Amino acid sequence: MRHTWRWFGPRDPIRPEDIAQAGVQGVVSALHHVPNGQIWTAEAIARRQAEVAMASDGRPSGLAWEVVESLPVSEDIKKQKGEWRAHVAAYKTSLEHLAGAGIRVICYNFMPVLDWTRTDLRWRRPTGARTMRFDMADFAAFDIHLLQREGAAQDFAPAVVEEAARRLQGMDDAARRGLADAITMGLPGSTEAMDMGAVRDHLAEYGAISAERLRGHFIDFLSEVVPVAERLGLRLCCHPDDPPFPLLGLPRIMSTAADYDAVLGAVDSPANGMTLCSGSLGARADNDLPAMMDRFGPKVHFLHLRNVRREADGSFFEDEHLEGETDMVALIAAVLREEARRRAEGREDHVIPMRPDHGQEIADDLRRGGQPGYPLVGRLRGLAELRGVERALSVTGAFA
């Protein structure tokens, strides 16, 4: 695997030299300041490449921007409303500019309204570490009582509805605002967080868009952009839904192996691939991550390696990288098998980029602040553990 690290640009408290000290080989980044649906200009891309390549003292960092995460798909494209055709055209132009800059892997998602969703961005563990959590009762309190979505209570188990009402009674105004802010914060690094009014407006515009219709919109989008990516030698890789089940009455269409089968099969191209995120997919008990890696391996273009601990009501929290529900050793073994198969085929992309996804805030992270889920020390620990598993399997040949 090629070890990479997500960086949010100059405003990230983690500096390029810190990333280099982690021993990674490349950087994952994006132009978070560019509004969704707008063109990523060649000049802006070159500027971010220069920022990655330079340490804070002006010396070379030894790093390069290798993976885009994310080139966002606008809500207009997902709904096929408003300026969606212009946004598709802008997306194609952005792909042209990224290819011209030598960047080949582009991660994105197709989640409606809310992207990755958590109810607590810094949940305290018994050790004092902080991690991200999705609590079903807290989400129900938001959906039923704060957002006041019509019919919301019908989407939750009766015990969750009852607990949500109890939780709400125990929240003061600050706690209610904190819950709403955590849920609506948007993509990591994005400047496009939504307020409650914006969420309600989007839900109204989605109206009766079913899972089948949303998947059709996705396939329409791919039919437009995948030929461009293939011509340019790019690898598009769709990130799974996070969490991988419906929220706010909206469909989620990239949550299971069957979902990926449908979309990858509908636009069959080496440029149409998958970001295998073990944490997102691992929040569902029916997703077998090593089996999914074996099944979709030829089209897995990017790896997010993290782990979650599931609870009976659908809640989960982000556990340590080698803990949680996913057998990370078996998953990495499946990755190494796929890389060996690619080498035997002579594929240029036989080494798959991965990044240690998220991490618990530990030690100095607790004082540093920064983007929730992306601490320095917590990710360093995760990367060291993942690298150790990879090295042990490689040296012993135990992955075959």
Side-chain angles (χ1 to χ4, degrees):
M1 297 182 292
R2 187 164 180 84
H3 304 159
T4 65
W5 186 279
R6 192 171 191 183
W7 188 57
F8 295 100
R11 66 187 183 86
D12 193 325
I14 298 170
R15 303 165 298 176
E17 58 264 37
D18 301 326
I19 299 171
Q21 291 169 14
V24 300
Q25 298 153 315
V27 167
V28 177
S29 195
L31 303 183
H32 301 291
H33 60 284
V34 178
N36 295 354
Q38 301 302 304
I39 291 172
W40 285 17
T41 65
E43 294 77 14
I45 293 167
R47 191 177 310 117
R48 176 53 50 86
Q49 288 179 307
E51 291 163 349
V52 169
M54 184 180 294
S56 59
D57 64 0
R59 298 180 184 182
S61 69
L63 298 169
W65 183 11
E66 296 186 357
V67 179
V68 169
E69 186 180 349
S70 293
L71 180 57
V73 181
S74 72
E75 292 298 323
D76 281 0
I77 291 174
K78 295 170 192 173
K79 294 178 290 191
Q80 289 195 359
K81 293 183 178 181
E83 298 295 316
W84 76 276
R85 293 187 186 277
H87 291 180
V88 171
Y91 207 97
K92 293 178 183 179
T93 302
S94 297
L95 293 179
E96 296 271 3
H97 292 164
L98 288 165
I103 302 172
R104 293 285 178 261
V105 180
I106 294 93
C107 175
Y108 68 98
N109 75 70
F110 213 81
M111 290 180 258
V113 183
L114 298 181
D115 292 290
W116 66 274
T117 305
R118 301 291 185 272
T119 57
D120 193 332
L121 304 180
R122 289 187 163 95
W123 186 60
R124 192 180 189 280
R125 301 289 295 125
T127 61
R130 302 279 179 171
T131 191
M132 296 202 292
R133 174 177 174 79
F134 178 89
D135 187 288
M136 190 64 75
D138 282 346
F139 188 82
F142 166 82
D143 195 6
I144 298 168
H145 301 289
L146 301 183
L147 187 63
Q148 297 181 344
R149 178 174 64 87
E150 185 176 355
Q154 299 172 17
D155 291 345
F156 300 94
V160 172
V161 174
E162 182 178 345
E163 177 62 15
R166 189 191 69 77
R167 296 266 182 99
L168 188 77
Q169 289 180 349
M171 295 181 193
D172 60 17
D173 288 344
R176 295 181 185 194
R177 284 195 303 272
L179 176 61
D181 288 346
I183 291 171
T184 61
M185 77 169 293
L187 279 173
S190 172
T191 59
E192 296 194 2
M194 289 185 287
D195 59 21
M196 300 281 274
V199 173
R200 293 188 184 101
D201 289 344
H202 276 301
L203 292 179
E205 288 186 11
Y206 269 91
I209 293 179
S210 65
E212 292 72 22
R213 184 176 169 191
L214 185 62
R215 183 175 290 112
H217 291 176
F218 187 18
I219 292 169
D220 288 344
F221 167 72
L222 291 174
S223 298
E224 290 281 342
V225 301
V226 167
V228 175
E230 186 170 348
R231 172 175 59 81
L232 296 169
L234 303 179
R235 298 186 291 280
L236 302 178
C237 37
C238 184
H239 189 284
D241 302 325
D242 186 6
F245 43 77
L247 298 175
L248 303 179
L250 295 167
R252 297 282 214 177
I253 59 169
M254 297 303 286
S255 297
T256 66
D259 291 332
Y260 275 96
D261 262 336
V263 169
L264 297 180
V267 184
D268 189 8
S269 164
N272 184 23
M274 174 185 194
T275 296
L276 191 149
C277 178
S278 59
S280 299
L281 294 167
R284 282 182 71 119
D286 56 349
N287 282 334
D288 182 331
L289 272 298
M292 291 180 78
M293 184 65 215
D294 284 333
R295 181 173 180 176
F296 297 108
K299 290 193 174 182
V300 172
H301 299 323
F302 189 30
L303 296 158
H304 289 180
L305 298 183
R306 64 179 172 86
N307 227 321
V308 299
R309 179 72 61 180
R310 298 187 299 266
E311 299 171 16
D313 66 353
S315 303
F316 61 87
F317 68 89
E318 301 196 0
D319 211 337
E320 297 169 5
H321 284 76
L322 300 187
E323 302 300 326
E325 310 292 341
T326 295
D327 184 341
M328 195 62 72
V329 175
L331 175 56
I332 293 175
V335 172
L336 296 179
R337 285 195 297 273
E338 172 58 22
E339 290 186 326
R341 190 194 64 77
R342 293 185 185 190
R343 279 193 295 272
E345 280 188 358
R347 281 179 55 163
E348 291 184 359
D349 63 338
H350 61 270
V351 178
I352 304 172
M354 78 81 158
R355 66 173 178 83
D357 196 16
H358 298 182
Q360 297 191 358
E361 293 182 346
I362 58 177
D364 288 352
D365 295 330
L366 296 168
R367 294 177 287 276
R368 184 178 290 107
Q371 180 70 40
Y374 291 90
L376 176 60
V377 182
R379 279 189 288 171
L380 279 169
R381 174 181 174 176
L383 177 61
E385 292 173 342
L386 298 169
R387 183 185 284 138
V389 171
E390 179 189 17
R391 181 68 60 86
L393 291 172
S394 298
V395 169
T396 63
F399 63 88

